[in-house]
Amino acid sequence: MEESAMVAAHCATLGISHATLAPSEAITGASIQAQARTTRYALLTDHARAIGAGALVTGHHADDQAETFLMRAARGSGLAGLAGVRARTEVHGVTVIRPLLDWRRAELRAIVRRAEVPFFDDPSNHDDRHDRTRFRRLLDQNEWLGTPNLARAAAALAETDTDVRAMVDWIWTERAKVGGGEVKLAVENLPPRNPPPPRPPRDRHGPYRRRHRRARMDRGRQHRKPARLADGRQAHHASRDHRQRPWRRLALPRGTAKEKPRITRPSVHTDQRKSRVVPLPLTCARLSCAVKGIVHP
C-alpha cells in the first residue's frame, strides 16, 4: 500500500522502528468504518502488548471530536455517546492517549508542511457513502457551527460522564448488597433527591437595628427642621442668611431722614451642635435703634 510505504520510508529516514499491521481477513459489511476502527484498535493493542509499550498514542484532533459529537447527537446518543473521543481511555487493557484533541486539522497540516514531513490524505474522507464524510462537509460549509465549541462541549460531557461513573462505582461497591436474587442499596446518610433550599440565618438583632435606625432618621429630620422664635418667626442660620440677604432695611417712623442705616440682620443664630436657638448679646446697633424708637425686625 502507498500509505504504508510512505510511512515506512519516513520512519527509516528518522531512524524510528516501524511495523506494518494488516488484518488477516478482509473487512466487509454495512458499517465498514466502524468495523475498520474495531479491527485497527485490536491490531494496535496486540502490538503494543507484544513490544511492551506503556501507552498507545493516536492523532485525533478537534475536527474529529466535533464530527463525532454531531454524528452521535443525530443518532440520539446519551451522555456517554455525546462525550465523543476521550483524551485518555483504555482499550483492551492498553492505555490510549489522544494529545491533539485541542488542535484543528488546518493547524496540524500547516505544522506538517512547514516541517516538510510527507503526509497522506485518505480517499475515504471524501466518500459520501460514509456518515462522517457528510458531517465533515457540513462543518466545512457552516463555520457558524463552531468546531472548537463543539469539541469543548464534548470534553465537558466526558468529564461529567467520568464523575457519574465514579459515583455509580462507589455506590455499587460501598452501598450495594447482592444476595437472594436481589440487590439492596443502603441509603442511610445519603443527601435527599431534591433538598430544600437553605433558609437564611435568623438575625436576632434585626428588629432592634431597624427600630434604632428609624429613630436615628427621625432625629435627623428634627435636626433639619428650622427653629422658631417665641413669637412664631422662623430663625435662619447666620451664614445662610448672610449669603442670601446680608443686609436688611429698618422700618423708620414718618418724618425721619430718608437715609436708612444698614445693620447686620442676624439677631439670633442656630447652634448646629445642639440644634437650639441661642440669643446673641445686645449689640451697639440694637441699643441705638431701641433708644431712637426704631422697630428692629
Side-chain angles (χ1 to χ4, degrees), residues 40-53:
R40 181 167 58 251
Y41 275 111
L43 293 174
L44 290 173
T45 53
D46 291 342
H47 183 70
R49 283 192 296 267
I51 63 176

Side-chain angles (χ1 to χ4, degrees), residues 223 270-276:
H223 293 175
T270 304
D271 189 355
Q272 290 184 342
R273 292 175 299 176
K274 298 182 179 180
S275 299
R276 61 186 180 89

Side-chain angles (χ1 to χ4, degrees), residues 96-293:
V96 179
I97 302 175
R98 303 179 177 97
L100 302 178
L101 286 178
D102 293 333
W103 293 76
R104 298 291 305 275
R105 180 187 295 110
E107 295 173 341
L108 296 176
R109 284 178 179 267
I111 293 174
V112 170
R113 287 195 178 98
R114 180 170 297 183
E116 297 182 356
V117 176
F119 64 92
F120 185 82
D121 193 1
D122 191 353
S124 62
N125 293 333
H126 306 282
D127 191 350
D128 291 338
R129 294 179 301 175
H130 307 302
D131 293 341
R132 184 173 294 273
T133 303
R134 293 193 292 268
F135 281 99
R136 181 180 297 114
R137 184 176 292 108
L138 177 66
L139 288 173
D140 293 340
Q141 296 176 356
N142 298 276
E143 290 292 335
W144 59 269
L145 287 174
T147 298
N149 295 335
L150 294 176
R152 282 193 290 270
L157 292 175
E159 294 180 1
T160 305
D161 181 64
T162 302
D163 296 339
V164 171
R165 289 176 181 272
M167 288 188 292
V168 171
D169 293 341
W170 175 81
I171 292 176
W172 186 258
T173 304
E174 302 293 335
R175 296 296 184 115
K177 295 182 179 180
V178 182
E182 60 182 5
V183 178
K184 295 181 180 180
L185 295 178
V187 296
E188 294 81 5
N189 300 325
L190 289 178
R193 182 176 180 182
N194 295 320
R199 298 181 60 182
R202 183 179 178 181
D203 189 0
R204 298 176 54 187
H205 303 286
Y208 174 82
R209 293 174 182 172
R210 288 193 296 270
R211 182 169 61 253
H212 283 262
R213 189 186 305 114
R214 191 179 301 109
R216 289 194 301 269
M217 294 174 63
D218 293 341
R219 287 197 298 270
R221 295 191 186 98
Q222 293 175 3
H223 293 175
R224 290 193 296 270
K225 290 181 179 179
R228 294 186 178 275
L229 302 179
D231 56 356
R233 293 180 300 168
Q234 180 175 331
H236 297 274
H237 192 272
S239 61
R240 178 181 178 186
D241 189 70
H242 276 293
R243 185 174 60 254
Q244 294 182 354
R245 295 182 357 180
W247 302 96
R248 182 177 179 86
R249 295 180 181 273
L250 299 178
L252 300 177
R254 293 184 180 182
T256 58
K258 293 184 179 181
E259 295 181 359
K260 301 177 182 179
R262 293 183 178 183
I263 63 173
T264 56
R265 182 184 186 283
S267 58
V268 295
H269 74 4
T270 304
D271 189 355
Q272 290 184 342
R273 292 175 299 176
K274 298 182 179 180
S275 299
R276 61 186 180 89
V277 177
V278 179
L280 292 177
L282 186 64
T283 61
C284 295
R286 296 185 62 190
L287 181 60
S288 61
C289 292
V291 172
K292 293 180 180 180

